[in-house]
Amino acid sequence: MNAQNDLSMKTDEVLKIELEVFRRQHRDLDEAITALEDKATSDQLTIRRLKKQKLQLKDVIAQIEDRLTPDIIA
């Protein structure tokens, strides 16, 4: 994902909607990881892939939040 370039072209309203979608996906991945870890026969490769996706989403969420939060000069 090249989110940095995409962010500059989007309005704040679009970014807010995308932020909620990404947060929901992040929560869903967290629940899936927890469910897999609770199983005795969990697939560690799948868990690692899900955790990587979750970290990527976290990065995108942070970039969007930074874009939406105005810079405050103290």
Side-chain angles (χ1 to χ4, degrees), residues 45-60:
L45 181 60
T46 301
I47 292 172
R48 280 197 305 255
R49 287 180 179 160
L50 291 175
K51 285 183 177 183
K52 185 175 180 179
Q53 287 178 352
K54 187 178 164 191
L55 284 173
Q56 289 172 337
L57 277 174
K58 184 178 178 182
D59 290 342
V60 172

Side-chain angles (χ1 to χ4, degrees), residues 54-72:
K54 187 178 164 191
L55 284 173
Q56 289 172 337
L57 277 174
K58 184 178 178 182
D59 290 342
V60 172
I61 289 168
Q63 288 175 354
I64 293 173
E65 288 174 339
D66 286 347
R67 165 83 194 297
L68 291 174
T69 305
D71 291 337
I72 299 173

Side-chain angles (χ1 to χ4, degrees), residues 4-49:
Q4 187 67 11
N5 291 338
D6 293 340
L7 292 180
S8 64
M9 302 299 289
K10 295 180 181 177
T11 66
D12 286 356
E13 290 303 315
V14 170
L15 289 174
K16 288 177 184 178
I17 293 168
E18 286 184 349
L19 182 60
E20 289 306 313
V21 170
F22 291 143
R23 284 179 176 161
R24 188 176 320 119
Q25 289 175 349
H26 189 268
R27 281 190 304 268
D28 292 345
L29 282 172
D30 193 41
E31 291 172 7
I33 291 167
T34 301
L36 283 172
E37 287 176 337
D38 289 344
K39 288 175 53 176
T41 59
S42 63
D43 179 12
Q44 294 301 313
L45 181 60
T46 301
I47 292 172
R48 280 197 305 255
R49 287 180 179 160

